[in-house]
Amino acid sequence: MATLHAQIVAAFGRQYLAKLPDGEMLTCLTRGKRSDVVCGDHVEVQRTGDASSGLSLGALNIGQAVIDKVSPRTSLLFRSDAFKQKLIAANVTQIVIVVATEPSFSDELLARCLVAAYDQNLEVLIVLNKCDLGADAARAQLANYRAIGYRVLELSALEDVSALRALLDGHVSVLVGQSGMGKSTLINGLLPDAQAATREISTVLDSGKHTTTHAKLYRLNERSSVIDCPGVQAFGLHHLTFGAIEQGFTEFSPYLGKCRFRDCRHLKEPDCALRIAVSKGEITARRLELFLQIAANKA
Ligand SMILES: Nc1nc2c(ncn2[C@@H]2O[C@H](COP(=O)(O)OP(=O)(O)O)[C@@H](O)[C@H]2O)c(=O)[nH]1
Ligand SMILES: [Mg+2]
Ligand SMILES: [Zn+2]
């Protein structure tokens, strides 16, 4: 049987949905116990039967295939605790962290996402959604993130997503954030009607639920795609070293290595360059506090 190249566009348990270059979808299993395939992966597959033997998802009949090989990844976004890793998306070039004016969002989760993004060398965009509801409090919460150099885009997914569409161009982007922030609403606004079939498959996978239960990749144009993920409440960084977490707080970089002690943990040590920077107002107390919290409890 011929080897086909495909991209994983949805992962649900140990089953996957892969898309061939001509747009045809296949449901895929892995060989053996392999389960480390994730949305965004490029894979080699072989058909295992004719289309009529495949799964029937709603009105759509989809052929079956088996995944032989996962191509080397340019990036892998994942979270981890002491026991397991949870893969989020592969081969993305940009992370879009979605927060909203309400419900309130966790700035610790935001900081964790930023550290993970830095580790995988991803472009970062912070989207403040639901600005139709009044943005003052959330805008103030994000002011320091703008000050340290992150792009923050304010919008309302229900009104106009064109500014976001422009910033997704040329990227494989992944939308992450707590549930309820509006990720799926943003995706709906971004997708042209021509993608109704893709959306139909998504709906069937989620069995009509309003919450996103599986990561899904949508193609926006020939050079751009976007992955919608289930909401995350925790973003474990067990896999990162103390040093990697320090670097993920990008505004710390001028001060790293400048403490009196080379192994300074930035707690109570004398002549700690980070604590001095906080006392001078060059780093916010909240960011150092978030750093210490994450370094002490990575997961
Ligand atoms: N007012 C307002 N509500 C929004 C906006 N975007 C999303 N919502 C609502 O917020 C809720 C959660 O949206 P959803 O897209 O499911 O969030 P997700 O969990 O991040 O995918 C839904 O009731 C949406 O209608 C927005 O821009 N303005
Ligand atoms: Mg959702
Ligand atoms: Zn220090």
Side-chain angles (χ1 to χ4, degrees):
M1 283 280 251
T3 293
L4 303 170
H5 292 272
Q7 186 173 28
I8 301 297
V9 296
F12 40 116
R14 297 203 28 233
Q15 279 209 69
Y16 303 93
L17 200 58
K19 195 174 197 174
L20 299 174
D22 68 2
E24 183 186 348
M25 298 277 200
L26 296 170
T27 59
C28 300
L29 296 170
T30 54
R31 292 198 192 274
K33 291 210 165 68
R34 179 166 194 172
S35 63
D36 61 336
V37 182
V38 66
C39 205
D41 264 327
H42 294 284
V43 293
E44 290 179 7
V45 304
Q46 288 193 41
R47 289 184 193 272
T48 50
D50 58 83
S52 62
S53 70
L55 274 195
S56 188
L57 291 174
L60 300 153
N61 276 310
I62 298 178
Q64 282 181 315
V66 62
I67 298 171
D68 281 324
K69 195 167 163 232
V70 178
S71 302
R73 295 158 169 155
T74 58
S75 69
L76 180 63
L77 190 64
F78 63 102
R79 50 205 176 94
S80 67
D81 60 23
F83 308 104
K84 59 179 194 312
Q85 295 184 347
K86 183 106 176 89
L87 305 185
I88 299 172
N91 301 315
V92 302
T93 57
Q94 174 166 261
I95 184 169
V96 179
I97 305 169
V98 182
V99 299
T101 55
E102 60 183 64
S104 62
F105 64 91
S106 157
D107 66 343
E108 179 174 343
L109 192 76
L110 172 61
R112 285 174 178 272
C113 291
L114 293 172
V115 172
Y118 184 85
D119 177 63
Q120 289 296 305
N121 228 335
L122 307 179
E123 294 276 332
V124 174
L125 174 65
I126 300 170
V127 167
L128 175 58
N129 186 30
K130 309 196 195 181
C131 287
D132 53 303
L133 300 176
D136 290 353
R139 186 179 290 142
Q141 212 184 344
L142 290 174
N144 182 52
Y145 287 86
R146 274 190 209 273
I148 60 185
Y150 290 105
R151 291 180 299 166
V152 179
L153 176 66
E154 297 186 1
L155 53 70
S156 164
L158 293 178
E159 287 168 4
D160 185 8
V161 299
S162 54
L164 176 60
R165 184 179 288 115
L167 295 177
L168 299 181
D169 199 51
H171 280 288
V172 180
S173 303
V174 59
L175 302 193
V176 299
Q178 291 157 269
S179 65
M181 297 291 139
K183 296 180 296 300
S184 297
T185 308
L186 286 167
I187 297 269
N188 283 335
L190 289 166
L191 286 184
D193 293 339
Q195 298 219 355
T198 314
R199 218 176 298 152
E200 182 179 350
I201 292 169
S202 306
T203 311
V204 177
L205 287 179
D206 283 337
S207 49
K209 293 197 247 356
H210 287 296
T211 51
T212 306
T213 53
H214 312 287
K216 275 162 293 204
L217 179 144
Y218 302 96
R219 192 152 281 277
L220 297 171
N221 58 40
E222 319 78 64
R223 12 173 235 296
S224 325
S225 45
V226 61
I227 297 176
D228 186 21
C229 289
V232 290
Q233 293 308 327
F235 203 114
L237 296 172
H238 190 79
H239 55 287
L240 296 184
T241 61
F242 184 86
I245 296 170
E246 276 180 333
Q247 289 183 8
F249 280 72
T250 51
E251 81 274 34
F252 292 5
S253 72
Y255 309 97
L256 297 180
K258 305 268 170 67
C259 302
R260 185 200 294 187
F261 300 108
R262 273 184 51 197
D263 60 351
C264 186
R265 296 265 139 179
H266 321 307
L267 290 162
K268 298 262 186 274
E269 294 90 339
D271 299 329
C272 167
L274 287 181
R275 303 194 82 84
I276 293 168
V278 170
S279 70
K280 290 183 178 162
E282 294 164 0
I283 290 174
T284 67
R286 179 61 182 158
R287 286 279 289 171
L288 183 58
E289 181 183 28
L290 284 172
F291 168 77
L292 294 174
Q293 214 160 292
I294 294 168
N297 182 14
K298 292 197 273 185

